[in-house]
Amino acid sequence: MDTVPFSLLAPWASGLATGLGLFAAVGAQSAFILRQGLQRVHIGSVMVVCAIIDAICIFGSVLAWRSLAGQVSWAMPALAACGAAFLGAYAVRAAYRAWSAASALAPAGGAATRRGAMLAALGFTVINPHFWLDIVLIGSLAQAFGHDAVAYAAGVTTASVLWLLTLGGGARLLGPLFRDPRAWRVLDGGIALVMALLAWRLLLRAL
């Protein structure tokens, strides 16, 4: 009995490493969480939504997604097109905030209401083909661990939570820097560039 936890440590650690490699990047979801955290606008609710969605999709992928991938191959181009439109619209909004110094510090630059913040977090997670590609990859890699695939999924989920906490905590530490409106303009300019590049890549994939 005492050896069971140790037998699960290897797949859990492998899942943790995989998750950190996939999630620890500046993508659409990360950029949104960072901005909400810097503004301190419903960041807790945003992180909870993202963590729950990540966990559901990770475990769902490990248990079922691999067997369904061949039947829904048509979904990838459709998701890419929707994601490109979504990210393109956000890139335009971020570029406008970067251009307008007056709007850089306004709470409306992110999602002002709790419901709006949670819906935006849902959108940046679900309407994101890169997220689904990661989920498919996680499901495939987990199959190598056989019956311990759930432990692998737990490791990936742990990585997701750690990354979300890092974004939230890091945003709070950077708070003093962003008292200067120019820092917000630089951040929004960078977000606009990242979103535009992601949208362009997704559009090319869809075509």
Side-chain angles (χ1 to χ4, degrees):
M1 293 292 294
D2 293 337
T3 60
V4 173
F6 292 101
S7 68
L8 299 178
L9 184 60
W12 178 86
S14 181
L16 177 67
T18 301
L20 290 175
L22 291 175
F23 300 140
V26 181
Q29 184 196 70
S30 298
F32 174 74
I33 294 172
L34 180 61
R35 196 172 208 286
Q36 291 293 129
L38 288 169
Q39 292 181 316
R40 300 187 182 182
V41 180
H42 310 303
I43 183 60
S45 298
V46 167
M47 292 169 63
V48 168
V49 168
C50 292
I52 291 174
I53 296 172
D54 285 355
I56 291 173
C57 292
I58 288 167
F59 279 95
S61 172
V62 170
L63 297 174
W65 188 260
R66 188 182 185 188
S67 64
L68 296 174
Q71 303 176 30
V72 293
S73 58
W74 56 268
M76 284 298 115
L79 282 172
C82 292
F86 182 79
L87 296 177
Y90 195 83
V92 172
R93 289 185 58 192
Y96 176 78
R97 291 195 304 264
W99 182 262
S100 174
S103 65
L105 294 174
T113 67
R114 187 179 304 277
R115 182 173 181 272
M118 294 174 73
L119 288 175
L122 177 65
F124 277 111
T125 303
V126 176
I127 311 177
N128 183 357
H130 287 102
F131 171 79
W132 291 110
L133 291 173
D134 288 345
I135 291 299
V136 171
L137 177 61
I138 290 167
S140 299
L141 293 175
Q143 306 311 310
F145 295 93
H147 296 297
D148 294 333
V150 174
Y152 179 88
V156 179
T157 302
T158 303
S160 168
V161 173
L162 289 176
W163 178 239
L164 290 171
L165 292 174
T166 299
L167 286 173
R172 179 166 295 185
L173 293 175
L174 291 173
L177 173 64
F178 283 86
R179 290 172 184 166
D180 186 346
R182 291 174 296 182
W184 282 98
R185 298 183 72 178
V186 171
L187 175 67
D188 281 323
I191 289 176
L193 181 60
V194 170
M195 299 298 177
L197 289 175
L198 288 174
W200 177 249
R201 289 179 61 185
L202 291 178
L203 185 61
L204 291 178
R205 182 170 302 191
L207 297 177

